[in-house]
């Protein structure tokens, strides 16, 4: 925004992104408070999908190098602190707790939501907008995993033989949406010159989405937000 002063530009971008993120969280928080509009689990998934994809959408506002990455990571970094404070009961925000937890228990924020914020923050700092790995991590974590639950709950009549808590529909939904979101953001970032579009990159995104969905479907006590992020990053590192 200010080509001659990248620090001022990144500060301004950070402010804009902060306002957008706060508005999104406040919106879903208010929906969560009212109840009856959407099921609490559905609201939680809408937040899960929404925040990470909005984060990626705002990356072009920031400067190109590590300075831009660090400024961009401030808002999700503050959200990590927020999850800790809410989860520990230091302060109360009923709407946020309801919109980001499965059962309305503040202690749940110290698990999935905290891992989620950590994952997108670290993807930003370590990979940033010139790496397709950042796209793969955030799109599979946010769009893919979020849609897996939504699709699975509505159409998941056929359960996986090795995990009765997961369904074929949910896994297919995760692969499809995670992959499509990755491709859309590939073209989005390419329009700014950050990466180059190629058939090979599209195929690699497909492999990463499939691997992430397979790991997500396994019967394990480890939180999905961790397993999906790590799988996407590791497979992406091997492929890219």
């Amino acid at each position: 925004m200010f080509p001659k002063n990248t620090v001022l530009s990144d500060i301004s971008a950070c402010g804009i992104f902060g306002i957008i993120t706060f508005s999104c969280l406040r919106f879903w928080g208010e929906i969560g408070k009212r109840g009856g509009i959407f099921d609490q689990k559905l609201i939680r998934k809408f937040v899960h999908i929404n925040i990470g994809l909005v984060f990626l959408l705002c990356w072009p506002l920031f400067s190109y190098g590590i300075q831009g990455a660090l400024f961009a990571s401030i808002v999700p970094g503050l959200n990590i602190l927020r999850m800790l404070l809410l989860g520990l009961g230091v302060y109360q925000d009923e709407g946020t707790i309801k919109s980001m937890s499965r059962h309305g228990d503040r202690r749940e924020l110290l698990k999935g939501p905290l891992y989620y914020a950590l994952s997108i923050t670290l993807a930003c700092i370590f990979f940033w907008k010139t790496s397709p790995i950042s796209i793969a991590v955030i799109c599979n974590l946010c769009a893919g995993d979020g849609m897996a639950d939504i699709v699975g709950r509505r159409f998941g009549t056929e359960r996986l033989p090795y995990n009765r808590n997961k369904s074929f529909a949910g896994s297919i939904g995760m692969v499809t949406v995670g992959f499509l979101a990755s491709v859309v953001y590939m073209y989005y970032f390419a329009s700014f010159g950050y990466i180059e579009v190629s058939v090979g990159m599209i195929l690699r995104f497909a492999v990463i989405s499939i691997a992430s969905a397979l790991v997500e479907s396994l019967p394990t006590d480890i939180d999905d937000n961790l397993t999906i992020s790590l799988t996407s990053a590791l497979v992406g590192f091997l492929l890219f």
Side-chain angles (χ1 to χ4, degrees):
M1 290 181 286
F2 301 98
K4 295 182 179 180
N5 191 331
T6 58
V7 173
L8 178 59
S9 181
D10 284 333
I11 290 172
S12 301
C14 192
I16 292 170
F17 174 52
I19 292 170
I20 293 172
T21 302
F22 177 80
S23 299
C24 290
L25 289 172
R26 180 54 57 188
F27 171 78
W28 292 115
E30 290 300 317
I31 296 294
K33 283 182 183 178
R34 281 162 174 75
I37 300 176
F38 291 114
D39 177 79
Q40 182 177 320
K41 293 178 181 177
L42 189 59
I43 292 174
R44 187 173 62 87
K45 287 303 171 182
F46 284 153
V47 173
H48 188 97
I49 295 169
N50 178 237
I51 298 302
L53 296 185
V54 168
F55 185 39
L56 270 183
L57 199 66
C58 291
W59 281 11
L61 293 173
F62 296 89
S63 61
Y64 195 80
I66 186 61
Q67 175 186 297
L70 292 175
F71 271 101
S73 68
I74 288 174
V75 174
L78 290 174
N79 202 40
I80 293 172
L81 179 61
R82 186 164 173 257
M83 293 302 101
L84 286 170
L85 295 176
L86 281 170
L88 294 171
V90 176
Y91 83 97
Q92 297 292 323
D93 186 338
E94 181 184 352
T96 298
I97 292 172
K98 283 187 175 180
S99 67
M100 300 185 75
S101 63
R102 282 185 170 87
H103 308 292
D105 186 344
R106 61 175 173 78
R107 290 170 294 183
E108 293 179 50
L109 302 187
L110 298 175
K111 297 179 182 178
L114 179 60
Y115 301 148
Y116 176 96
L118 278 169
S119 295
I120 64 174
T121 302
L122 293 176
C124 173
I125 294 172
F126 287 104
F127 300 116
W128 197 214
K129 55 191 176 183
T130 58
S131 173
I133 300 175
S134 60
I135 296 174
V137 170
I138 294 177
C139 286
N140 284 298
L141 171 63
C142 303
D145 184 44
M147 194 55 65
D149 188 76
I150 293 173
V151 172
R153 289 182 185 279
R154 280 153 182 76
F155 306 105
T157 54
E158 292 293 328
R159 296 289 166 173
L160 296 175
Y162 56 88
N163 187 355
R164 306 305 295 175
N165 293 321
K166 305 288 182 177
S167 67
F168 284 103
S171 294
I172 292 170
M174 179 175 175
V175 171
T176 303
V177 176
F179 168 67
L180 290 177
S182 298
V183 172
V184 168
Y185 274 97
M186 175 191 69
Y187 280 102
Y188 177 63
F189 278 19
S191 70
F192 293 96
Y194 302 144
I195 58 177
E196 292 185 5
V197 172
S198 69
V199 174
M201 185 176 290
I202 293 174
L203 293 176
R204 289 180 178 92
F205 279 137
V207 172
I208 295 170
S209 293
I210 292 170
S212 298
L214 285 173
V215 170
E216 189 271 344
S217 71
L218 296 175
T220 176
D221 292 330
I222 304 174
D223 192 275
D224 289 347
N225 290 332
L226 277 180
T227 59
I228 292 169
S229 300
L230 289 172
T231 301
S232 297
L234 289 173
V235 177
F237 184 77
L238 292 173
L239 293 178
F240 291 110

